[in-house]
Amino acid sequence: MQVTETLNEGLKRGYNIVVSAAELDAKVNEKLVEAQPEIEMKGFRKGKVPMALLKKQFGQRLLGEAMQETIDGAMNKHFEDSGDRPALQPEVKMTNEDWKEGDDVEVSMSYEALPAIPEVDMSDIALEKLVVKADDAAIDEALGNLAETAQDFKARRKGSKAKDGDQVVMDFVGKVDGEAFEGGSAEDYPLVLGSNSFIPGFEEQLVGVKAEEEKDVTVTFPEEYGAEHLAGKEAVFTCTIKEVKEPVAAEINDELAKKFGAEDLAALKAQIAERLEAEYAGASRAVMKRGLLDALDVKVSFDLPPSLVEAEAKQIAHQLWHEDNPEVHDHNHGEIEATEEHTKLAERRVRLGLLLAELGQKAEVEVTDAEMTQAILSQARQYPGQERQFFEFVQKNPQMQQQLRAPIFEDKVVDHIVAQAKVTEKEISKEDLQKALEELDAE
């Protein structure tokens, strides 16, 4: 086998690989010898079929396998000897298209090599860690929000009209074509106006009703309604209003705390403070991570594989286009050209991605099975009732596994770098932390 370099410019590499006909024949014979003991053929005992007959019967089929294995072996040996790591799958194609059995095989291989990543001294990287304490005002605000979610309702003054957000207690009977239908009636039903728990258009027609009033509500069932006999049909609901109630926030006391699983109000406040500070810490980490990436981007420079930058720029352009055109949910649109700005952002992302990957590899950072399982379970919660199917889908889909593994790996590498950097703490208000987060989003 001969391997000849044909291109070496920057990170671009090209090679010509020649596999001799003799090598291929030897590989085919090797496969036949390996398979011979298990082959049975009419007129011969198992394992006693002559090689010449086996070659005539199976040689043509094994030749393709031998060719592929030999070329793959040559490529693997090349990468092992050269130390090159291709940025993307190498492009491989036969160059003697008129090849016939008995000829040498000529193959061209081209790829972009990943660059050598320079050493980085982490000890001189200076980072600022923003610290926010959960003060009484923030805890009281969170308590007020909890009280609203635990709201109750009290009867409005007699003769008051129902408003959006009020609770209407009523009896109702629904009819389609003048006939009552199953599931269309109820007594003493408490409906919160504006909750969107009924058919579209139903709740809006009850705004303004009073207790002891009767009102017909006319709606049309959606075309995709679950009950086929009602889908797309017009229905009239005769509603008898019994009470109109206004929302009342729950009192902030020990009883409220018990509704949320706390022993008393003091314990609930402690839980809220802990949750708030965890949220602040998460936001603070995001700000510090951006500061670290900015510092690394300035600190490290190396050649980038053009193919990776181009692919990333196209991905960025595509993503931003969809953000600007949210009404388009599919990919049935024209090609979106990447701009100079997209390419500049792509270069940063590719550079930092390669750097973090190298640093993580050198530090032997790994994503554990437990961390992967937790990530999968977290994603699966977005598909209520289909968690098991999602879990099985991920197990069978290596690309999806990589999508879940990548951010975990990156965060662990960031933690590894932060542990070596100079980190100073700065206590700020939650408003200042929010501003810092907004600045990240604006960039």
Side-chain angles (χ1 to χ4, degrees), residues 174-181 219 221 229-230 233-237:
K175 296 180 180 180
V176 172
D177 298 329
E179 296 290 331
F181 57 89
V219 293
F221 284 96
H229 66 290
L230 297 175
K233 295 288 184 68
E234 183 178 271
V236 178
F237 288 83

Side-chain angles (χ1 to χ4, degrees), residues 162-324:
K163 301 177 182 178
D164 204 33
D166 283 354
Q167 184 187 76
V168 173
V169 181
M170 62 181 175
D171 298 341
F172 62 83
V173 177
K175 296 180 180 180
V176 172
D177 298 329
E179 296 290 331
F181 57 89
E182 185 178 353
S185 304
E187 294 182 354
D188 296 323
Y189 190 93
L191 174 64
V192 177
L193 304 185
S195 64
N196 297 319
S197 54
F198 268 34
I199 306 163
F202 189 104
E203 295 168 25
E204 292 88 336
Q205 295 180 54
L206 292 179
V207 173
V209 298
K210 304 175 185 176
E212 302 179 5
E213 180 181 341
E214 187 175 285
K215 183 177 179 67
D216 284 345
V217 174
T218 303
V219 293
T220 301
F221 284 96
E223 293 291 343
E224 65 276 9
Y225 194 69
E228 291 185 11
H229 66 290
L230 297 175
K233 295 288 184 68
E234 183 178 271
V236 178
F237 288 83
T238 300
C239 304
T240 302
I241 311 303
K242 292 187 170 180
E243 287 185 279
V244 174
K245 298 182 176 183
E246 63 180 330
V248 180
E251 289 188 35
I252 298 175
N253 52 26
D254 289 343
E255 289 304 312
L256 174 67
K258 289 174 183 176
K259 285 184 180 180
F260 289 97
E263 186 175 328
D264 53 28
L265 185 58
L268 180 59
K269 285 185 175 182
Q271 289 177 11
I272 290 173
E274 185 177 342
R275 176 178 60 78
L276 287 174
E277 292 192 355
E279 290 177 3
Y280 299 153
S284 172
R285 188 184 189 284
V287 174
M288 184 169 67
K289 179 180 176 180
R290 174 61 69 85
L292 170 62
L293 295 179
D294 288 345
L296 291 174
D297 190 37
V298 172
K299 191 178 182 67
V300 181
S301 178
F302 48 84
D303 290 338
L304 302 175
S307 58
L308 288 185
V309 174
E310 183 181 355
E312 184 66 24
K314 285 182 177 179
Q315 176 64 28
I316 292 169
H318 190 263
Q319 179 182 342
L320 293 177
W321 186 89
H322 274 283
E323 288 180 7
D324 291 336

Side-chain angles (χ1 to χ4, degrees), residues 375-401:
I376 295 171
L377 290 175
S378 178
Q379 287 286 317
R381 292 191 190 100
Q382 297 180 23
Y383 305 93
Q386 297 180 302
E387 291 88 349
R388 183 180 182 83
Q389 293 93 316
F390 180 81
F391 203 91
E392 291 173 352
F393 166 73
V394 173
Q395 287 181 317
K396 297 174 184 176
N397 192 317
Q399 186 176 359
M400 188 65 182
Q401 291 174 28

Side-chain angles (χ1 to χ4, degrees), residues 70-81:
T70 304
I71 293 170
D72 287 347
M75 289 170 56
N76 291 335
K77 187 174 188 307
H78 163 73
F79 289 126
E80 186 178 327
D81 292 345

